[in-house]
Amino acid sequence: MARIPRTGLTGRMTEHPILVTGGTGKSGSRVVSQLNNKGVRVRVGSRSGEPPFDWTDRSTWDAALEGVERVYVIPFDGELLTRPFVQLCEEVGVKRVVLLSGRGVDVAGYAGENSAAGKTHIDGEDAVRTCRLEWTIVRPAWFAQNFSEGFFLDAVRSGELRLPAGDGAASFVDAEDIAAVAVAALTENGHAGRIYELSGPRAVTLAEAAATISQATGRTVRYVPMSPEDFVAELVAEGWPQADAEDYADAVSPIRRGMDSHISNGVQQALGRPPRDFSDFVRIAAAAGAWPS
């Protein structure tokens, strides 16, 4: 059955819910919270949402987009689903899309040739940049929250951050800042056609990150640099599939190769203020009990 696209804005923006795919994740949940605080109607795109949204079940997409004119797209890593989803957005009358991408999409050699996430971001960005909608792309550096609710949490809690990152540094960005930029792009004018490169205000080595967490929590956390080969072998010994362990090592490799230390000014450009420092993130996360004694 052919879809009949809606035309024109039928009322104030707040009368149309904003769909946030990945609405329960690190950035998505914060976008949902910040939109709620602004009094904007939000539809949480997740399997448990109402209606449910599942990236891998295209039969859920239409209902999730019903009555929606603005969408925050958090891609499904490892699959090329952003393009068909954006095409559906065009068909059903969505007006604006904000895409969460990643640092290094346009940098040769940043991601490995077999990086599933890299392929997802490259294809997704192309789909958004060539669509007929108002679009904004957000490219964050490593999330600071990876230490408190992501990749590095278990290692931090164990007291040893064992990674193949050498003595490289990364300009970790707070997920609250990522969400604030996304919310601005979703709710304000002046962001269409912009690509915001986001980072924190300074680069931090893994040893410095561990020391900052140790100081804030009173518990010992140390960084143990590893070779990529030893790192992969250790994960495989713990039960990881070989391919997943290699993907993790590849994801960390830009830090080791000095490709994640540069500072980006997207937060300042989008919000008119500097980004939150890593030490502020640690202080707030520690106070919230991210790393119990």
Side-chain angles (χ1 to χ4, degrees), residues 64-88:
L65 287 168
E66 178 66 29
V68 167
E69 294 189 340
R70 306 185 184 209
V71 183
Y72 181 47
V73 178
I74 300 177
F76 189 85
D77 282 348
E79 300 288 342
L80 303 184
L81 296 173
T82 304
R83 186 178 300 275
F85 182 74
V86 170
Q87 290 171 344
L88 178 60

Side-chain angles (χ1 to χ4, degrees), residues 171-185:
S171 51
F172 297 100
V173 61
D174 195 298
E176 292 289 349
D177 285 341
I178 300 169
V181 172
V183 167

Side-chain angles (χ1 to χ4, degrees), residues 104-124:
V105 169
D106 59 346
V107 178
Y110 182 89
E113 292 182 3
N114 297 318
S115 169
K119 293 175 182 177
T120 298
H121 289 318
I122 290 169
D123 188 67

